[in-house]
Amino acid sequence: MNKRTIVSLVPIKLFFLPSYRFSSTSPSLQHVEQHLAATIPICIVFLQLCAQHSNLTKGKELHSWMLKKNFLGSPLSITSLINMYSKCNHIHYALNVFNTSRSLHNVYIYNAIIAGFIGNNCCKEGFDLYMHMRCQGIAPDKYTFPCVIKGCLEIVEVKKVHSLLFKFGLELDVFIGSALVSCYLKYGDVHLAHDMFDELPERDVVLWNSMINGYVQIGETDLALEVFKRMGEDGVALSNFTATGVLSALAMNKDLNNGMTIHGFLIKKGYDSIVAVSNSLIDLYGKCNLVRIATEIFEMVEEKDIFSWNSLISVHEQSGDHHGTMKLFGKMLASGIRPDLVTVTTVLPACSHLTALMHGKEIHRFMIVNGLGNNGSIKDFDDMYVNNSLMDLYTKCGSMRYARVVFEKMSDKDLASWNIMIMGYGMHGHGNEALLMFDHLCAAKLKPDEVTLVAVLSACSHAGLVHHGRQYLSQMEPEYGVVPTVEHYACVIDMLGRAGQLEDAYDLLLTMPIESNAIAWRGFLAACELHGNTYLAEVASQHILDLEPEHCGNYVLMSNVYGALGRYEEVSDVRLTMRDQNIKKQPGCSWIEVNNGVHVFFTGDRAHPEANIIYAILNTLIAPLCEHGYMAAA
């Protein structure tokens, strides 16, 4: 009988540790010392468990204990500590361990720190460490290159690493080959990826998956499906990563028929019970606008992970169900799942649409406290996409001061950042601030686009800056290289209409170099209603009916025009026309944020559980107004 070593007994001893779990009730290090011989292999096993469960607290305790016991003189200990801190997303701790163990540095320690940086999306730092390793005369091995290839920021670097493989005799290694295929496809070099794939004598499922997922990532979904078909023809058994890659391709193509076929195949093979596959199915049906089926799949997942919740939350947000998005986010928090950056960047737009300022502030606070968006704790919180989402939230909720604070703290601003601020100032009537922000944009040597000029013209419209608006329209093409579109003309027409210059607005509608649309005419019609010009209102109405005869807004505006002038016969005629043509006015919808909830109301809605109390209070407010001559609008 083979003699058992302390390492072989580790799993058995771990199993018999009293109440061993990675939670707040986990055994202390005193328990470890009581039940296990104090050896480096035992500590390494525990560090691996800490890494697996991302338990930073226990990992730090064990690190301190190992330091006390003088167990940090082994390269294995250093490698395990680096791996643990990297997996816990605290790469700066891993770097401290690396820097304080220079005398022990070998290829395994370098592999661990390089993999840690790459895994925490710090590719430049990871690649720099690889170059430092080479300068130190430490030769890379077959475990170094897959991470290094993934960390290459330019295809030139990928090719240099590829050429180096021949020196080490690793040019046909299947794992390195898979990394090269993925990287070449990431940079769009399909030819090199195919050459690499065809040259490898051994093609395992990982290599096939690299081809499929690589094509998906660059949007070549049809080629991804071709590779999947070829994989089946070669008799290669698929894995759950194959399934997720194919489902992603079908989701991007919104290919429901093939998606349902693959779904049936996955059920037959038993892959549908894998959480990652279920998440991909949720995404597929969500992209195909089948929210109900996506929800049913989600409910069938026994152990929902963060990706399950993110998938379904994204499905609801993409379908325009902002209220449902917020409800799901609440359920996710109640289930004990901690949101990540993907979650908050999906929920923030829902807060923007619902103008749920308090919810948005709570999410912002959560992000700051938990370090979301801080690039693996290397840099301060400064994710451009997240900051733009936060600014969009604050501007739509009218909190321009908070939006400006976020904007000023951004180290890198893209054009969208400036556009959001300009649009926000304009939306809330701060026309001069919007134009000043536009001047700063130009001073920063950024070139404005169509969206920027729409925001500027809209700001002029809301603030009544007619002269500036006309000037910007005339300067768009010669000064900024942006050809005016119907949206830009619609803004100027709206601006003239608001200012009461209806004749000028009408002339612009007739003389603009591109064909006007219903939106421009509807804005003009609204201005005619505002200023009581029945003749031009009827002209505008006829144009709109020719362009969009089934749009209810046209009839409502004309009804309001006639009603304001006391021409109730015409009001009845408009409403009769709507009834005859089966045109129905969409019910008005509003929402209000109270305490921790967003309450949604439709016109005449009595679905709210406290509807009777709400309407009773509303009537007590309206009654005094009516006594003073208030009349509800049509």
Side-chain angles (χ1 to χ4, degrees):
M1 183 176 178
N2 293 333
K3 184 179 179 181
R4 293 179 180 175
T5 65
I6 186 67
V7 178
S8 67
L9 288 171
V10 165
I12 300 173
K13 293 197 175 192
L14 284 176
F15 183 82
F16 283 104
L17 275 177
S19 306
Y20 181 76
R21 291 183 65 190
F22 269 87
S23 66
S24 58
T25 58
S26 300
S28 64
L29 291 170
Q30 285 75 15
H31 283 130
V32 178
E33 199 167 3
Q34 275 181 343
H35 290 81
L36 300 175
T39 64
I40 290 175
I42 299 296
C43 295
I44 289 171
V45 170
F46 270 88
L47 286 171
Q48 289 170 348
L49 285 170
C50 292
Q52 183 182 344
H53 295 273
S54 299
N55 194 316
L56 180 65
T57 303
K58 296 294 178 186
K60 280 184 172 181
E61 289 178 8
L62 186 52
H63 186 183
S64 301
W65 188 74
M66 291 173 70
L67 184 63
K68 177 183 173 183
K69 295 293 180 180
N70 199 25
F71 282 179
L72 299 184
S74 163
L76 283 173
S77 299
I78 301 301
T79 303
S80 299
L81 282 168
I82 291 171
N83 178 61
M84 183 272 295
Y85 283 125
S86 301
K87 295 286 175 59
C88 291
N89 298 321
H90 279 68
I91 190 65
H92 60 294
Y93 288 153
L95 186 61
N96 285 340
V97 172
F98 177 82
N99 287 333
T100 54
S101 59
R102 294 185 182 278
S103 62
L104 300 173
H105 284 181
N106 59 19
V107 67
Y108 307 109
I109 292 176
Y110 267 102
N111 286 350
I113 193 66
I114 291 169
F117 271 100
I118 303 301
N120 281 274
N121 296 318
C122 301
C123 296
K124 182 181 182 303
E125 292 85 348
F127 194 83
D128 288 345
L129 278 165
Y130 161 72
M131 297 302 293
H132 184 265
M133 178 181 79
R134 297 294 311 282
C135 292
Q136 295 297 311
I138 298 175
D141 61 10
K142 66 177 184 179
Y143 301 106
T144 314
F145 287 111
C147 286
V148 171
I149 290 167
K150 187 179 178 182
C152 291
L153 297 175
E154 297 177 359
I155 195 168
V156 175
E157 297 297 339
V158 182
K159 291 178 179 178
K160 287 179 181 177
V161 175
H162 190 175
S163 63
L164 187 65
L165 294 174
F166 292 88
K167 177 181 177 181
F168 291 94
L170 297 170
E171 69 276 9
L172 299 180
D173 184 272
V174 68
F175 296 107
I176 299 174
S178 299
L180 281 169
V181 166
S182 296
C183 208
Y184 281 136
L185 287 175
K186 180 176 75 172
Y187 288 110
D189 199 323
V190 177
H191 178 71
L192 277 175
H194 262 291
D195 286 349
M196 187 71 233
F197 181 82
D198 292 334
E199 286 172 8
L200 292 170
E202 180 187 350
R203 297 173 193 158
D204 62 1
V205 67
V206 176
L207 181 59
W208 286 95
N209 290 346
S210 297
M211 286 290 286
I212 293 170
N213 290 306
Y215 277 129
V216 170
Q217 287 173 4
I218 62 172
E220 295 287 352
T221 52
D222 291 334
L223 291 174
L225 295 172
E226 282 182 24
V227 173
F228 174 67
K229 183 180 177 182
R230 184 179 162 191
M231 178 180 176
E233 290 170 352
D234 282 14
V236 180
L238 60 82
S239 68
N240 57 312
F241 295 106
T242 318
T244 54
V246 172
L247 289 171
S248 296
L250 296 170
M252 290 174 71
N253 282 352
K254 298 183 180 179
D255 190 344
L256 180 60
N257 291 332
N258 283 320
M260 295 178 77
T261 303
I262 296 294
H263 188 182
F265 174 76
L266 294 172
I267 292 172
K268 183 179 177 181
K269 293 291 186 180
Y271 282 104
D272 62 313
S273 60
I274 298 172
V275 177
V277 176
S278 295
N279 296 343
S280 296
L281 286 167
I282 292 168
D283 181 57
L284 167 67
Y285 287 113
K287 291 278 197 324
C288 296
N289 297 318
L290 296 173
V291 180
R292 182 180 60 81
I293 297 178
T295 305
E296 287 173 0
I297 294 171
F298 174 81
E299 295 297 341
M300 287 190 291
V301 178
E302 292 184 6
E303 296 184 7
K304 301 174 180 66
D305 60 11
I306 181 67
F307 305 106
S308 309
W309 286 99
N310 285 349
S311 296
L312 192 64
I313 289 171
S314 297
V315 165
H316 279 267
E317 181 59 19
Q318 288 165 9
S319 68
D321 182 12
H322 310 300
H323 190 60
T325 301
M326 296 299 295
K327 285 178 68 176
L328 268 172
F329 181 62
K331 288 181 180 178
M332 174 183 168
L333 294 175
S335 71
I337 299 291
R338 176 182 166 177
D340 64 3
L341 201 57
V342 176
T343 317
V344 296
T345 51
T346 306
V347 176
L348 281 173
C351 295
S352 298
H353 282 95
L354 297 174
T355 58
L357 179 59
M358 294 309 298
H359 281 75
K361 282 185 174 180
E362 288 173 5
I363 292 170
H364 191 183
R365 188 180 304 115
F366 175 86
M367 293 162 67
I368 294 170
V369 170
N370 292 278
L372 292 182
N374 61 354
N375 296 325
S377 301
I378 288 292
K379 300 175 182 176
D380 292 333
F381 177 86
D382 196 25
D383 185 284
M384 188 185 297
Y385 180 79
V386 177
N387 282 325
N388 286 347
S389 298
L390 285 167
M391 284 193 297
D392 184 61
L393 164 72
Y394 287 130
T395 56
K396 286 179 178 173
C397 293
S399 297
M400 291 306 301
R401 184 168 64 87
Y402 286 110
R404 189 61 182 258
V405 168
V406 174
F407 179 81
E408 294 296 345
K409 286 186 175 181
M410 292 175 69
S411 58
D412 294 313
K413 304 176 182 72
D414 63 358
L415 188 58
S417 312
W418 292 90
N419 288 349
I420 290 167
M421 290 300 296
I422 295 169
M423 188 69 77
Y425 278 123
M427 186 191 310
H428 298 292
H430 304 298
N432 290 323
E433 287 85 348
L435 299 188
L436 184 61
M437 187 65 70
F438 178 69
D439 290 340
H440 290 324
L441 179 153
C442 295
K445 305 300 181 184
L446 284 172
K447 184 180 178 181
D449 63 1
E450 292 182 1
V451 177
T452 315
L453 272 303
V454 166
V456 169
L457 292 172
S458 179
C460 293
S461 175
H462 282 84
L465 303 173
V466 177
H467 174 71
H468 289 85
R470 286 177 179 272
Q471 192 174 18
Y472 281 120
L473 180 66
S474 64
Q475 290 177 345
M476 276 183 62
E477 192 168 1
E479 187 77 20
Y480 306 112
V482 178
V483 179
T485 65
V486 69
E487 286 79 12
H488 298 103
Y489 283 105
C491 287
V492 176
I493 291 163
D494 181 64
M495 175 188 71
L496 295 171
R498 286 171 184 262
Q501 301 178 21
L502 297 179
E503 293 293 341
D504 289 347
Y506 182 54
D507 288 343
L508 184 58
L509 272 164
L510 297 179
T511 59
M512 55 195 281
I514 52 180
E515 187 177 352
S516 58
N517 61 9
I519 295 172
W521 280 105
R522 198 174 298 117
F524 179 64
L525 176 56
C528 293
E529 179 200 356
L530 177 66
H531 297 286
N533 192 318
T534 313
Y535 170 72
L536 288 178
E538 289 176 337
V539 172
S541 179
Q542 190 55 53
H543 276 91
I544 298 170
L545 291 175
D546 292 340
L547 292 166
E548 286 185 354
E550 296 180 358
H551 195 288
C552 66
N554 316 325
Y555 299 93
V556 172
L557 284 169
M558 276 311 300
S559 176
N560 292 342
V561 171
Y562 291 134
L565 296 172
R567 295 167 58 176
Y568 298 111
E569 256 186 66
E570 282 91 340
V571 173
S572 298
D573 290 342
V574 170
R575 291 180 177 177
L576 183 62
T577 303
M578 290 180 69
R579 195 177 303 115
D580 291 343
Q581 296 186 13
N582 197 29
I583 296 171
K584 296 181 180 179
K585 180 179 179 294
Q586 293 293 326
C589 176
S590 62
W591 47 85
I592 185 170
E593 188 179 21
V594 180
N595 295 330
N596 291 322
V598 177
H599 302 264
V600 182
F601 298 92
F602 289 91
T603 304
D605 183 10
R606 290 189 174 271
H608 195 280
E610 298 181 56
N612 292 334
I613 300 173
I614 292 169
Y615 278 99
I617 295 173
L618 184 62
N619 289 333
T620 62
L621 295 171
I622 292 175
L625 294 174
C626 292
E627 291 174 4
H628 289 81
Y630 166 75
M631 291 180 63

